[in-house]
Amino acid sequence: VRTLSPTRCRRTNASRRACLIARFNFIYAKERLDAEILLKKFVCDIEMVQRIIYVAALESFRAAKKAFWKTKIRVKETLAINHCGGPGSLEIAALDYIACHKDVYDVCCSVQEVICCMNVNPKLPCPEKVDFSVISCFIRELCCLAFQMQTLSPPLDVAFGVDGELFSRSMYYRSCDSDFTAPFVAYHVWPALMENGTVLVKGEVVTRK
């Protein structure tokens, strides 16, 4: 088991954190729009397309976090055999191992789980109308990103929004087609990225009266 000094751990964590946040922003700016183009072949309503992508983002983080929890337990059990430090150092060693060995994550399993959850989501079109697997590459990127975000200390996560919630300037940007005088969220376009309850990257919503 490789032992890292606390200072080196902090530097490594900060560097990885910055890269993952940048990746999250790139997915929002580029790959999200690519996914919209793919979905428009099946769904003409842009609101529904944006709802599908938002649900895909939430489900990807949920599936990745569940997979990470199972993976960490397995890795800690393996590392504990030859580990000489305490529980705290074992936790750090497990996070470092998972961050460096991306192959421990079966991302294909998470992608299928996300698509299955979307197929039974009552707010989304039924599977006969749209094949959510057309955005499987987009879902895969989100799952990989979310999984790696769990190796940080503290981990990063996305905020779960509810239609009709009060608009928060600290958490969201308004989409360009919003009613800028409306105080409530009609629907969510992209989730906010959070760290210990603090907003790191604002999400996007549509507000309407």
Side-chain angles (χ1 to χ4, degrees):
V1 177
R2 181 172 52 166
T3 302
L4 298 178
S5 68
T7 302
R8 184 180 173 187
C9 283
R10 286 193 294 270
R11 286 201 305 265
T12 302
N13 191 74
S15 176
R16 203 160 62 225
R17 176 180 178 273
C19 290
L20 293 173
I21 292 173
R23 181 63 184 151
F24 181 82
N25 287 330
F26 180 80
I27 291 176
Y28 165 72
K30 175 69 169 61
E31 297 180 23
R32 173 183 65 92
L33 300 180
D34 293 341
E36 282 189 8
I37 292 172
L38 292 172
L39 285 170
K40 285 177 183 177
K41 298 176 182 178
F42 299 90
V43 183
C44 297
D45 183 4
I46 184 59
E47 176 179 330
M48 183 53 67
V49 168
Q50 291 176 332
R51 284 180 179 272
I52 291 171
I53 289 175
Y54 178 74
V55 170
L58 294 184
E59 290 294 341
S60 295
F61 268 78
R62 184 196 59 78
K65 286 189 295 181
K66 184 171 74 172
F68 179 83
W69 177 74
K70 294 179 180 179
T71 301
K72 188 172 74 169
I73 291 176
R74 188 170 65 250
V75 169
K76 286 175 73 173
E77 289 175 349
T78 302
L79 296 181
I81 297 173
N82 298 313
H83 189 72
C84 299
S89 61
L90 178 60
E91 177 79 10
I92 294 173
L95 294 179
D96 182 55
Y97 182 91
I98 296 171
C100 295
H101 297 80
K102 296 181 175 61
D103 58 330
V104 298
Y105 178 34
D106 184 4
V107 65
C108 293
C109 183
S110 289
V111 171
Q112 289 303 313
E113 182 180 341
V114 171
I115 293 174
C116 288
C117 288
M118 294 175 69
N119 282 335
V120 297
N121 190 310
K123 293 185 177 181
L124 302 183
C126 61
E128 289 77 15
K129 293 183 179 180
V130 56
D131 183 5
F132 297 122
S133 63
V134 297
I135 57 170
S136 59
C137 291
F138 172 72
I139 293 171
R140 181 187 181 90
E141 287 298 315
L142 281 170
C143 287
C144 289
L145 176 68
F147 188 87
Q148 283 297 307
M149 283 182 168
Q150 305 315 300
T151 66
L152 299 173
S153 183
L156 305 185
D157 199 1
V158 290
F160 181 83
V162 180
D163 291 353
E165 68 177 295
L166 187 65
F167 173 73
S168 170
R169 292 181 182 275
S170 62
M171 183 170 286
Y172 301 116
Y173 293 109
R174 279 187 169 97
S175 186
C176 59
D177 56 344
S178 295
D179 180 342
F180 282 75
T181 63
F184 299 107
V185 174
Y187 67 92
H188 297 74
V189 176
W190 191 249
L193 185 65
M194 312 291 290
E195 181 184 57
N196 272 349
T198 301
V199 178
L200 293 181
V201 180
K202 289 184 181 182
E204 182 181 347
V205 297
V206 174
T207 55
R208 290 181 187 147
K209 291 183 179 178

